[in-house]
Amino acid sequence: MFELFTLFFIQRALLIGAVIAIVSGLIGPFIIYRKMSFIGVGISHGTFSGIAFGILLGVSPLPMAIIFAVGLGIFIGFTSRTGKISEDVSIGILFSFAMALGIFLISLSSGYHADIMGYLFGDILAISNNDLYLAIGVLGSVMLWYTLRSRQMKYMTFDEDFAKIAGVPVGIDYYIFMALISLSIVVIVNFVGVILASSIIIAPAASAKSIVKKFSSIVVLSIVLAELSILSGIIFSYNLNISSGPSIVFFVTFVFILSLFYRKIKNFKVKNR
Amino acid sequence: MIRVDSLSVRYDNFEALSIPFLTIEGGKFHAIIGPNGGGKTTFIKALVGLLPYEGTIEIDGMDHKRYLKKNSIGYLAQRGSQFSQFPITALEVVEMGRYRFKESADIRRKKALEFLKVLEMEKFAQKNINELSGGQQQRILMARALATESKILILDEPLTGMDPKAQSLFYDMIKRIKDSFKLTVIMSSHDVGFISEYADNVICINKELVPHDESAKILSCAEFAQLYGPKIGIVEHHHLHSEKDDV
């Protein structure tokens, strides 16, 4: 079983997997408490139109995916903050538009694109050095943000009105957060694909929230659960020779279901004490 | 002193509140009364900088927007609309009020603890605020408002859901805090009876400022009708209360 850890592409996948686990653990709990869970779906689909645009132009899809994802994330944030359209409505409309735009752009480009399935459902064999550099860059940015701005983010998530009165630049912090979510989603899309990306950023945080109460414990447990799920998913997919993206999502969801059972049992014990 | 001139607050094309002119004297307890949807919360949100408005507001002679860039206002939002389920300790909540102060984390914590002590809530410092009772949460949010060290304390219907005894104790607490910190208190309330006993001035709002002698403790029937409609009558009575207990 351990021979898989000697394979170069598995080592690279495990490294990116660890990066994703940390990034999801630091960002995911804020997404959950800000009730923005649907944002991952919106932005991941936005990256697909970026990828398609890159294919059409014959350039690397990665920079295009970044531009489209960050652009869409900030646009969704802008529409919801200015109060013209609610966040879920703008995501609901934009994510299908982004998907339609992606398919349209791919149909315009000449030739057959076998790698489209990889973009949709993820392919750890297709992870390039550039993907790895991007992941490390995003990890650095998210860790820096967490170190410098997590206090402000906690205040905003708890009570945005008072945070504003107290002097927190809530608008700037919100858009920085949206940009970081978008960048993290691009990294995750490279790993598990457009369709499956959102669960990786949401599910570990949701599971941790069911198990522990303190915010710092939720963050640490989110990272641990994400890492365990990604590691198990990769091993499972390698042994069964199936796609790694769905395999990781199976484990992430399985952990979430277990966390719900844990909470049920805990609540039952408290009630019957 | 707060000076309001030609204030107009709009939601899209609808004018929710219009105040031609109003001065709010410093160091006093001002009550804002008026019906539901009359613009009390709108006025308060404009004062604390949460709603855009047309017109002029000055605080201590300084333009409102400039004032808010440098200073926080002690603010207690309407009960039930204040915060999310985010897991945060009472101490961290009070630390929010210290955000503008350039101080180390240790000093911030020490100061926050001092304000919790003022509200006799220091034993709950490490508790998650969402696990405390409504009354305890209210005191912690009050400690947060005081932690801003603002000379203005604005409370938006803080008595909602409180029984008369709890209301009376709350008023006593506000009076004590106002006197010891030398604050200007502005508080909106539905309870015209209680507020007339405790407030120095009464500001009547129903979409616009209803003319009323601010310092008069009792509203006339005509003023009452303008605020709440002609079907509401006045029955004059007195609250029996002492410092410790109230009926």
Side-chain angles (χ1 to χ4, degrees), chain A residues 38 41-43 45-46 72 90-100:
Chain A
F38 204 32
V41 178
I43 295 171
H45 286 71
L72 189 70
S90 64
I91 293 171
I93 295 166
L94 287 171
F95 98 85
S96 33
F97 169 74
M99 207 65 192

Side-chain angles (χ1 to χ4, degrees), chain A residues 30 33 84 149 151-152 154-155 157-159 161-169 213-215 218, chain B residues 48-50 72-73 75 82-88 92-93 95-96 99-100 108 129 131 144 148:
Chain A
F30 284 115
Y33 280 107
K84 303 292 178 201
R149 304 305 294 175
R151 182 161 73 96
Q152 287 80 349
K154 280 182 192 175
Y155 293 170
T157 307
F158 173 65
D159 181 351
D161 279 352
F162 194 87
K164 190 179 173 188
I165 290 167
V168 175
K213 283 182 178 176
K214 259 178 78 179
F215 186 72
I218 292 172
Chain B
V48 297
L50 292 176
S72 301
I73 287 181
Y75 170 60
Q82 298 137 320
F83 52 81
S84 72
Q85 293 294 308
F86 186 77
I88 186 167
E92 285 175 299
V93 171
E95 283 181 32
M96 279 179 84
Y99 184 74
R100 280 186 204 268
R108 187 171 67 233
I129 189 167
E131 290 171 1
R144 179 178 73 172
T148 61

